Amino acid sequence: MLDDEVKAVLEANRYPTTGSTLVMLYLFPGEGVSRPDRLLSCEKQLLYKGYTLWHTAVEAITLPYHTPTLARPTASSLAAHDYAGRFARCKGAAAVLAVDTGGIVAGLGEYPLFAVAGKEAHTTPMENGASDSVLRRLGIAACRTAGIMAVERPVETGQLKEYGELFAVTPQGCLSIRSSDGHLY
């Protein structure tokens, strides 16, 4: 019975029913009641089954910002990413999706972004503002190793709600994006 209730709570809160999710069970004993009331709560999605990691999925916001050198690590692009990150934290988010003037998401700040739809991981091509970095190449290789087709296709802000998952590749590893502008992945 509890398994069925956990599955229903996960589905209702748009968490995957397979994999690893931290679910809390709260028991509220009542006076003269033989069975306590219970409450199930989804706390967080864990990235690997059976493990709690050093980081959890982050909340992100989209923010239009662009410099001519946004795709390269220059003083102006690093300043733009730093400002955008501070702005995101002021808005209650941990990260920012860098959006160009055409509505194309270049990355999660300075890091390459991958948007998963089914068995495809879309990543913005370099000609649309993504950087040609080692992290991007590692992300593409990791997708292929996992049996997910890495497709270079512009990730547009208008399509973000259509993706099932967003993640970025950072120097610390893959960083899962829990939500963007309030949309849960």
Side-chain angles (χ1 to χ4, degrees):
M1 179 175 63
L2 193 56
D3 284 341
D4 292 338
E5 289 178 12
V6 167
K7 184 177 179 184
V9 168
L10 291 172
E11 288 174 351
N13 288 284
R14 298 183 58 193
Y15 280 89
T17 56
T18 59
S20 186
T21 303
L22 178 62
V23 177
M24 296 295 290
L25 170 65
Y26 299 94
L27 297 175
F28 300 98
E31 284 188 42
V33 179
S34 62
R35 195 172 102 177
D37 289 331
R38 62 183 178 274
L39 173 71
L40 290 171
S41 171
C42 300
E43 296 297 318
K44 63 181 175 179
Q45 182 177 349
L46 306 174
L47 299 181
Y48 300 102
K49 188 173 183 168
Y51 293 94
T52 300
L53 299 181
W54 57 271
H55 67 76
T56 58
V58 298
E59 311 287 328
I61 61 169
T62 54
L63 182 65
Y65 71 97
H66 186 74
T67 67
T69 61
L70 197 61
R72 294 182 299 281
T74 64
S76 67
S77 67
L78 293 175
H81 292 310
D82 184 51
Y83 173 79
R86 289 182 195 187
F87 182 84
R89 287 187 293 280
C90 288
K91 295 292 184 182
V96 63
L97 297 173
V99 179
D100 71 8
T101 55
I104 296 174
V105 182
L108 183 71
E110 62 195 276
Y111 303 117
L113 178 75
F114 294 84
V116 180
K119 287 286 189 180
E120 290 185 352
H122 300 167
T123 187
T124 297
M126 291 178 286
E127 57 267 16
N128 291 102
S131 66
D132 181 21
S133 66
V134 170
L135 293 174
R136 185 172 187 276
R137 293 175 189 182
L138 287 172
I140 291 170
C143 287
R144 290 184 180 139
T145 300
I148 297 171
M149 184 184 301
V151 178
E152 293 192 51
R153 176 181 297 159
V155 176
E156 299 176 8
T157 55
Q159 297 174 325
L160 285 175
K161 291 184 178 180
E162 297 172 18
Y163 292 107
E165 179 181 0
L166 295 181
F167 69 92
V169 180
T170 73
Q172 290 81 28
C174 290
L175 180 63
S176 180
I177 298 166
R178 182 176 192 271
S179 71
S180 125
D181 297 324
H183 177 75
L184 186 64
Y185 295 102

